[in-house]
Amino acid sequence: MSDTFILNGKETPYTPGQMILEAAKVGGIEIPTLCYLKGSTPTGACRICLVEVKGARSLMAACSTPVTPGMEVFTETALVHQARKLNVELLLSSGTHNCLTCEANGNCRLQDLAYFYKITDLRFEEKAASDIYPKEDRNPLIVRDFSRCILCGRCVQACNEVMVNRAISQGYRGKESKIVTGGDLPYHESECVFCGQCVEVCPVGALTEKKAKGLGRPWEIKKIRTTCPYCGVGCQQWLHVKDGKIVKVTAVEDAQPNMGRLCVKGRFAYDFIYSEERLKTPLIREANGEFREASWDEALDLVAEKFKEIIKKDGPDAIAGVSCARSINEDSYQMQKFFRAVIGTNNIDHCART
Amino acid sequence: MDTKITVTIDGQEVSADPGQTILEAARSQGIYIPTLCHYSKTTNVGACRVCVVEVENARSYVASCCAPVTPGMVIRTNTPAIRAAQKMIIELLWSSGDHNCLTCEQNGACELQDLVYWLQIDKPRFPIEHHGYEMDNSNTMITRDLNKCILCGRCIRACNEIQVNEVLDFANRGSYAKVGPAFDADYIDSSCVFCGECAQVCPTGAITFKQAKFAGRPWELSKTRTTCAYCGVGCQIDLYTKDNKIVKVMGNRQYGPPNEGSLCVKGRFGMDFISHPDRISKPLIRHQKGEAFKEAAWDEAYAFIAQRLAAVKKEYGPDSIAGLSSARCTNEENYVFQKFLRGGIGTNNIDHCARL
Amino acid sequence: MIILVGTNITEAHPVASTFVKDAVLAGAKLIVIDPRRTDMVDFAEMHVPLKVGSDVALINGVMNVLIEENLYDKKYVDSCTEGFEELKKKVMEYPPERAAEISGIPADTIRELARKMASVKPAMLMYTLGITEHICGVNNVMSCANLQMLLGNVGVECGGVNPQRGQNNVQGACDMGALPNVFPGYQQVANADARAKFAKAWNVKSLPDKPGMMMPTMMKNLTTGKVKAFYVFGENLANTEPDIHHVERELQSAEFLVCQDIFPTETTRFAHVILPAAAWSENDGTFASSERRVNRVRAASVPPGDARPNWWIFKELAKRFGHEWQSSSAQEIWDNEISVLAPSMAGIKYARLENDGLQWPCPTEDHPGTPTLHKGGKFTRGLGMLKAIDYIPPAEVPDQEYPFVLSTGRRLYHYHTRTQTGRSAGINDLLGEETADISTADAEAKGISDGEKISVKSRRGEVVVKARVTKEVPPGLVWMAFHFREACANWLTNPVYDPVTQTAEYKACAVRIDKLR
Amino acid sequence: MTVAGLAATFGSGAMTNSIDELESTDLILATGTNTTENHPVIGAKVKRAVRRHGTKLIVIDPREIDLVKYADIWLRQKPGTDVAVFNGLMNVIIAEGLYDKEYVAGRTEGFEALKAVVAKYTPESVEKISGVPAEDLKKAARMYAQAGRASIIYAMGITQHITGTDNVKSTANLSMLCGNVGIEGGGVNPLRGQNNVQGACDMGALPNVYPAYQPVAGEDVRKKFEAAWKAALSPKPGLTLMEIMAAAGSGKIKALYVMGENPLLSDPDLQHVAKELQKLDLMIVQDIFLTETAQMADVVLPACAFAEKEGTFTNTERRVQRVRKALEPPGEARADWEIICGISSRMGYPMTYASAQEIFEEIRTVTPSYAGITYDRLEKEGLQWPCPTVSHSGTKFLHKDKFSRGLGLFTALEYIPPNELPDQEYPFLLSTGRVLYHYHTGTMTTRARGPVERCPESLVEIHPEDAGKLGIADGQKVRVTSRRGTVEVKARITEKSAPGSIFMNFHFTEAPVNFLTNPALDPTGKIPEYKVCAVKLEAA
């Protein structure tokens, strides 16, 4: 077919309109990038995805250069390598990038690239502390550390093009550049609805989750995939678990139905399960009206005995039950089975209506 | 027989053995006290002082790794004052050298980093000292970057007390203090025998495994515990692998015998052969004497051998066949091999190089 | 094109809303039909702020235009539906002018709306509780279906009538037969064959053939004594049901109330026995999402104290009645019982759910699942049924004494009665208390300023709550949520129900608002 | 050699005690072991014992090895005079009444015969044979006898002689004489050279025994294995390695199957071995590299390296430990057991194990000392056999209260000189062994960057006196010639070996020291005399 180009010497198919980065990925070549965010307009901001295109005067950004028929692209030449390495080094000087105190340590694309390109010292001087915007962490959920920000713009893309909450944008110019909310207000005074998608896509430690701070580094964490317990969309999540405790929730990328997105509840409202107020033992009401703790055997025996009594006296239809629209299918199944098969009534319903 | 004594740690009554340090007594109860210079099976030196605790009626904070418990002692490990002291100590250690994890191979497996995280230190209060030490890149096995050294002395004790190679020691004093072989020599020019124990015990990125550099971050590696393939000691080793390659080898310290975490140069640095290009990857058959080998499929090789062995056995009897088993193969393989010769061929002509 | 009816999607289903917004950015047209100026209006080509509860009239008006102006999909209607003539007859009673009178939407706007709807195909209609929480909830749903069938939008990709379920596993609870009339997989209890099948599977002689009570009936019957024992699993009825004062009297009168939950709630106060349950992240199991997708839920932490998985509690209870249930994990329950008994889920097994789940119907283990129902105009029941529907006003309409309409719903930062979100650090900081949302005009007229505490009162109760003066609500409307106990809208709401589904009319009742002295 | 010597004396051939015990015992006698180079981790333990626990150390070795630095007494015997030295030690101990009389009376037999023979070996006469000063010998004897718990460790320096078995028995004699066998911290402890020598022996990869040293000649044993393996078994003990080579040369052996060994670099008198192997009709080699031996084969089968398979090794202290798969094998390489099974099955003797673990389960049923060991039990630490039942916690040291054979047997032994001693034509004594940085025939370590950096090529150690006489400088190439062959190798001038003795390693195919070595065998253990042969030396 005619729609092919030459990728590292190999004829590779592409779909018209595809950028080099995407076409290469389909062709099995992963081109490193920091700013590229799948599904949004490429910005070419980070200059890490540079590739050599035969006949072009300079290296091209693979994320924003469309493939043309027969185009010859080289992704791994010495020149490319050198340019990418230089750009990583320049990014490293854009702020303070000492991983020692960074919550993103171990989950940082910039760090990955520095390692991949075997960078052993910082060639360029870091930005002076006085030239860096102060950290913003007055809201309860998201920490914005501008000393780590590389202005790649993924958060802006995520906010405007993915979640379309339109809360942040690129602001100011040149050395003063900053990712800002409307009026450069702190997040919690802005239009932000705290979906946290900006944190999800931040490739470095500029945007981190406040609640996860200090609870565990990425390598100490086990990821468990589950389904969100809130509305009926059924978003797929990763629970980040350390020592049996959830420390953070992120979205499962490329998974139906949410395709890597979450809302404020799904992302941040997981810790209710650790509330001290949780019911921890069966409770039985005493004659004086107060509850007392009981064993499972005692509580279940009591329920069974009372139900049997009522069935005997008033028939099974004198018992009714409401199942839970939040618990798992298997629980609802068990409950209706219990009502139908054990008690002998169809008086089983649930709050589907709210 | 000594009797147990009772002390109070963080309000909890704890029974301890006389002579036990506060640190040991606390850890036996699952109470966490951070340490850096402490390394089990070596002398407690109290060098880093991260393990400080409050002891009632003591005039100052006590380094728990060195202080023995005494009856009735009341110890507190987690007061705000102790945490503040620990923060101060860690910040001082941090400022004592170049501790930027971005370019450190030890990132993710650094005990100084762990404590900075654990204590939630945001930035050091003290100016960073730049020593400008040259890296010791003299050999292919161990890299030393003294700019990341916190002078905890673990490498020295490992070298002298665990391996007893007596190569490393402190030199100079005060802020010029550094660790190394005699006459501040590079490793390659010293009496070092490259057991790598110093790199294994180093809590920071000061002494690292050179061949592991840029071969994968700690969190990208898989760890498999196995038994070393060299001499008959049977050291328990942890192979750290990435992309089907061995990145580094560490002695397994989780379980005791036989090596209790130590390794020698072969076990530590002698594993390259596994992914060496010389490895045979396909059966080879020489169909006629004098001919060159030809690559073959397994089935072909099996059939060739079976048919030829059967022919020899038929013509000359089972005792015309012999097998050399291997002292390097597993028990299961030796078992299967001798069973094959005895049960399958019908000869006891089975031996191996036990005598070498 | 996307048509949103009675759904504040950015707050109630935020992630779903991002896909709608993405679609708009990519060029899709959006129509929002909602009394309130919800966030999605920013993205809409047209906002139709109809009067609360006038949905049937409006839709009938739109369909009137579609038929009058010959804009409907005749081919589809002819080949895939029945009942068109009756529908047409009924719809002819709702010329735009009449619909305008009821809905408050000008006749010309209704015409424009109809033409717009007919201009793009396919169009997807999404609704939520703004449609269902009315005494005419079923009628509203059927009207939406009528409209979409008339436009030929059912059974095509990116079309259809798509309810978004309010709670994470409403779909699953229904699928599992936690309904008075059906077994798992919607097999009728009245059907003798179904009963025989389940009786055999469950190892019992017989199963009750009479459909049971729906929840409001159960609760009513607590006071009549017809229901003696009430088993409430994971629901906080004392906050979620309309007219809390009344609900509490009902719960109070239960002879024996069992509550099974993860927290003490307003409802557990009335229990005789409380059973502590394992929470979401402490269970292995499955949820079914709005789009019928069965997804895995995985255990990531251990339950506190003695709390146990719900399925275990039921199994243990059954044992005390002499029933020994075999399955002893959620997976066994699913793989060995549910998927065996519910034909639409027969092909769904845990082993197949590792990644993106499966959408039922999925009848066999090699079936890929069903993303779009009624494909190619093939309805489950054969032909799509067009139903003639009349407008009925809400049960309680404003009058002199109670001149405002109260409508209720959810807000972004909280979920249901806040048992979960209220206990998650940071979320309360984002929204710490309930407000009564009122229009600028009403606020001015009443001299109420933003943030001021006011009284909201209905025939059933009164709450004192902060006023939130906003352009989101039209004059005459008060809008509240039911997340917070003190200022819960359900102290005020009207316990009247749709006769079929017994869904309460949360969306409309009459209230008055007063400045506090 | 070890199995032959110790089995005859105690009834069981293996390290009697555990590595762990070395660190806290009262005295260690190290003989014929360059521990810090060949077993560096055990070497560290010995050094730790000396430095940190006050353990006394006696080294008996012709070379000035590293451990000498740590030793209280160093006895530098002439190579091959070990029996004399040990007899001399015992002579002193018995003469001075320092032996454990109660132990000797209660737990041993053959004391009188021993006493009679060692009486001849006075320190003075031993000095004449071995060159060890009589006074030093006396001091060492007293120190050993009075130490309390004393452990003897030895390696190839003891076994690789035509008197290897006698040497081993001598160490056993000494240990029993002072009541050191069957106690913690004591014993006679051979340090095995290869990682799984112990396991290969345990598994019956020996011509005369089935797994767990059950003799093939034993009728009952054979019946048991015939039933277990469902095959008729030969009652005739097979040939040992060196005999196999000879039989190949004489045409009695037609086919040789070699699994993971490289006899063409490791066996003595290589040129002769090569000729013998050439005569085979069929040679099959299974290995991870195309070794010298593999290059001669008719079929070469690619095997998995240790990190590419599951299984167990048994270490020198009888500890069975797990080997785990960490990597995928290259190309089509397969685990050795899988290959054997494949061939066996095709030869009409089906072996169909699904995993190493399944094989181990079978091993347990026919190997009483392994019966209690399971993979599950090996998850954490290994288990030391004997471990007869699953509730048995393994055996830290052997012969507690009772020897495997009942009473410990003293063997009265006379000194026999090595088979080939220096003479005028071949005036130097060559000893061979290993260096720290390499292993065996170098297939593994010469393919590892670090070891090669430290030790890139073979060296011959020459004493400065000899070097001076011959005009050889450090680093110069020299030619070493024996009656069997010649090799060229770089000289390393060092005082490690005594004047008149030179030392070489066998790691490098470029300088195959086994061109030179003498294939004379110990009559019982059939081990060649790698440690002594006569050579001449000249600058190349």
Side-chain angles (χ1 to χ4, degrees), chain A residues 201-227:
Chain A
V201 302
C202 180
V204 293
L207 294 166
T208 53
E209 300 196 23
K210 197 171 191 174
K211 285 207 276 187
K213 192 169 167 55
L215 295 185
R217 275 83 56 88
W219 56 85
E220 300 166 329
I221 273 163
K222 201 169 78 190
K223 285 195 338 186
I224 296 173
R225 184 170 162 167
T226 197
T227 305

Side-chain angles (χ1 to χ4, degrees), chain A residues 168-188:
Chain A
I168 53 175
S169 60
Q170 298 263 12
Y172 308 109
R173 295 252 170 152
K175 257 178 72 179
E176 263 91 63
S177 293
K178 182 190 182 189
I179 307 296
V180 294
T181 61
D184 198 5
L185 293 166
Y187 263 18
H188 63 292

Side-chain angles (χ1 to χ4, degrees), chain A residues 162 225 227 230 232 261 265 273 277 280 283 285 297 301 308 318 330 333 337 340 347 349 353, chain C residues 22 168-169 177 179 213 215 228 269 271-272 274 281 290 296 306 320 337 350 355 412 423 501:
Chain A
V162 177
R225 184 170 162 167
T227 305
Y230 288 103
R261 307 163 187 202
K265 294 188 286 287
I273 58 164
E277 292 159 28
K280 298 183 183 84
L283 302 172
R285 189 183 296 284
D297 273 338
D301 287 347
K308 282 178 189 166
E330 292 78 358
Y333 173 84
K337 180 176 170 186
R340 293 190 160 111
N347 287 341
D349 200 3
R353 299 161 192 90
Chain C
D22 286 355
N168 55 315
N169 204 30
L179 290 171
M213 302 171 203
M215 199 171 74
K228 306 276 183 198
R269 291 179 301 147
H272 296 93
I274 303 176
S281 63
S290 294
R296 278 281 275 122
D306 258 348
R320 284 159 172 80
E337 300 192 37
Y350 266 42
N355 295 317
L412 174 62
R423 291 180 174 95
T501 64

Side-chain angles (χ1 to χ4, degrees), chain A residues 140-141 160-166 192-194 211 224-237 239 241 244 246 255-258 261-265 268-275 277-285 291 296-297 299-304 306-308 310 314 317-342 344-354, chain C residues 12-15 18-19 21-22 43 133 165 167-170 172 174 176-180 182-184 202 204 207-208 210 212-215 218 226 228-231 233 235 256 261-264 268-274 276-277 279-282 284 286-287 289-291 293 295-298 300-301 304 306-308 310-311 313 316 320-321 325 330 333 337-338 341 350 355-356 410 412-413 415-416 419-420 423-426 429 501-503 506:
Chain A
L141 301 174
N160 291 279
E161 295 194 22
V162 177
M163 301 305 280
V164 206
N165 286 325
R166 300 172 175 177
C192 171
V193 292
F194 291 92
K211 285 207 276 187
I224 296 173
R225 184 170 162 167
T226 197
T227 305
C228 177
Y230 288 103
C231 78
V233 172
C235 291
Q236 294 301 293
Q237 313 176 312
L239 304 180
V241 177
I246 301 172
Q256 290 292 352
N258 50 312
R261 307 163 187 202
L262 288 178
C263 77
V264 58
K265 294 188 286 287
F268 295 114
Y270 53 83
D271 41 336
F272 65 89
I273 58 164
Y274 300 117
S275 164
E277 292 159 28
R278 281 286 299 275
L279 293 167
K280 298 183 183 84
T281 142
L283 302 172
I284 291 177
R285 189 183 296 284
F291 283 118
W296 274 106
D297 273 338
L300 292 172
D301 287 347
L302 174 68
V303 173
K306 280 297 247 182
F307 279 6
K308 282 178 189 166
I310 290 164
D314 302 294
D317 285 339
I319 301 175
V322 176
S323 187
C324 176
R326 300 185 211 177
S327 201
I328 55 174
N329 292 324
E330 292 78 358
D331 292 343
S332 277
Y333 173 84
Q334 292 282 92
M335 186 171 185
Q336 60 86 32
K337 180 176 170 186
F338 174 69
F339 269 75
R340 293 190 160 111
V342 178
T345 177
N346 283 316
N347 287 341
I348 171 77
D349 200 3
H350 71 283
C351 275
R353 299 161 192 90
T354 50
Chain C
H13 301 91
V15 172
T18 67
F19 291 96
K21 291 189 277 187
D22 286 355
F43 295 86
E133 289 180 351
R165 311 309 299 249
Q167 292 183 73
N168 55 315
N169 204 30
V170 169
C174 294
M176 291 305 108
L179 290 171
V182 290
F183 290 119
W202 292 347
V204 290
L207 288 166
K210 192 170 60 86
M213 302 171 203
M214 284 193 265
M215 199 171 74
M218 291 174 187
K226 215 174 142 195
K228 306 276 183 198
F230 194 32
Y231 197 135
F233 162 33
E235 295 289 351
F256 186 60
D261 212 317
I262 63 171
F263 287 114
T268 61
R269 291 179 301 147
F270 301 96
H272 296 93
V273 179
I274 303 176
W280 152 73
S281 63
E282 296 151 5
D284 274 309
T286 55
F287 287 158
S289 70
S290 294
E291 49 175 357
R293 188 186 298 277
N295 279 315
R296 278 281 275 122
V297 175
R298 291 179 180 83
S301 49
D306 258 348
R308 296 290 167 89
N310 295 294
W311 59 261
I313 301 173
E316 282 297 305
R320 284 159 172 80
F321 288 81
W325 290 356
I333 293 168
E337 300 192 37
I338 297 167
L341 292 167
Y350 266 42
N355 295 317
D356 285 356
R410 295 154 203 252
L412 174 62
Y413 295 113
Y415 180 65
H416 235 242
T419 46
Q420 298 176 179
R423 291 180 174 95
S424 294
D429 299 351
T501 64
Q502 294 199 2
T503 302
Y506 290 101

Side-chain angles (χ1 to χ4, degrees), chain D residues 252-313:
Chain D
K252 273 201 215 117
I253 293 285
K254 299 286 180 193
L256 180 63
Y257 196 138
V258 182
M259 173 170 90
E261 290 279 345
N262 189 9
L264 261 187
L265 201 53
S266 61
D267 286 4
D269 195 3
L270 282 183
Q271 282 156 328
H272 186 63
V273 172
K275 272 185 219 127
E276 289 168 341
L277 291 179
Q278 220 102 54
K279 298 213 175 109
L280 289 168
D281 281 4
L282 175 67
M283 180 155 77
I284 302 148
V285 173
Q286 195 164 300
D287 211 314
I288 63 172
F289 291 111
L290 204 60
T291 60
E292 290 76 7
T293 312
Q295 285 170 26
M296 279 188 66
D298 298 288
V299 187
V300 179
L301 304 173
C304 289
F306 83 107
E308 296 155 0
K309 63 190 176 188
E310 300 288 333
T312 56
F313 287 154

Side-chain angles (χ1 to χ4, degrees), chain B residues 41 43 139-141 161-166 188 192-194 211 224-236 239 241 244-246 255-258 260 264-266 269-274 276 278-286 289 293 298-299 302 304-306 308-309 312 316 319-340 342-344 346 348-353 355-356, chain D residues 38 40 42 45 47-48 51-52 70 156 160 192-196 199 203-207 209-210 229 233-234 236 238-241 252-257 259-261 266 280-281 284 288-289 294-295 297-300 302-303 308-309 312 314-317 319 321-324 326-328 330 332 334 336-337 340 344 346 349 353 356 360 362 375 379-381 434 436-440 443-444 447 449-450 453-454 525 527 530:
Chain B
K41 300 199 171 97
T43 320
N139 65 86
T140 63
M141 293 170 272
E161 299 180 16
I162 294 178
Q163 291 278 356
V164 205
N165 286 327
E166 301 173 340
I188 200 88
C192 172
V193 291
F194 292 89
Q211 293 167 11
T224 309
R225 181 161 75 103
T226 190
T227 304
C228 179
Y230 286 104
C231 76
V233 174
C235 291
Q236 293 301 291
L239 299 179
T241 56
N244 210 37
K245 283 228 162 71
I246 292 176
Y255 303 107
E260 293 165 87
C264 77
V265 59
K266 293 188 287 289
F269 297 111
M271 297 303 174
D272 289 354
F273 72 90
I274 293 171
H276 197 279
D278 288 356
R279 283 287 300 276
I280 317 169
S281 59
K282 274 195 165 174
L284 304 172
I285 297 179
R286 199 195 303 277
K289 294 268 178 215
F293 282 122
W298 275 105
D299 272 338
Y302 283 165
F304 181 81
I305 293 167
R308 293 284 301 272
L309 281 181
V312 170
Y316 304 103
D319 282 337
S320 66
I321 298 173
L324 291 186
S325 193
S326 175
R328 299 185 214 173
C329 287
T330 62
N331 291 326
E332 292 76 2
E333 288 161 345
N334 275 287
Y335 175 83
V336 165
F337 193 54
Q338 58 89 31
K339 181 179 170 185
F340 164 61
R342 293 191 160 112
N348 283 314
N349 288 339
I350 163 91
D351 200 1
H352 72 282
C353 274
R355 300 162 191 88
L356 293 179
Chain D
N38 292 333
I42 294 180
K45 282 206 193 262
K47 293 190 284 183
R48 221 147 55 217
R51 285 283 194 266
R52 304 195 75 201
Y70 298 79
M156 309 298 175
Q160 290 177 344
R192 312 309 297 257
Q194 291 183 72
N195 56 323
N196 203 29
M203 291 302 106
L206 291 170
V209 290
Y210 294 120
W229 292 348
L233 299 175
S234 162
K236 198 176 89 199
L239 304 177
T240 60
L241 193 151
K252 273 201 215 117
I253 293 285
K254 299 286 180 193
L256 180 63
Y257 196 138
M259 173 170 90
E261 290 279 345
S266 61
L280 289 168
D281 281 4
I284 302 148
I288 63 172
F289 291 111
Q295 285 170 26
D298 298 288
V299 187
V300 179
E308 296 155 0
K309 63 190 176 188
T312 56
T314 304
N315 81 348
T316 187
E317 54 173 349
R319 188 184 299 278
Q321 307 192 100
R322 281 283 273 114
V323 174
R324 294 183 184 81
L327 300 171
E328 290 304 321
E332 295 174 17
R334 293 184 181 177
D336 289 286
W337 63 263
I340 305 293
S344 187
R346 273 168 183 75
Y349 184 65
Y353 305 101
F360 195 86
E362 180 176 319
Y375 271 29
E379 251 332 287
K380 292 178 178 169
E381 290 176 3
R434 302 163 198 235
L436 172 62
Y437 296 101
H438 290 287
Y439 180 66
H440 224 248
T443 42
M444 290 145 74
R447 291 183 175 90
R449 287 163 284 179
E453 177 182 46
R454 296 298 287 162
I527 191 167
Y530 289 106

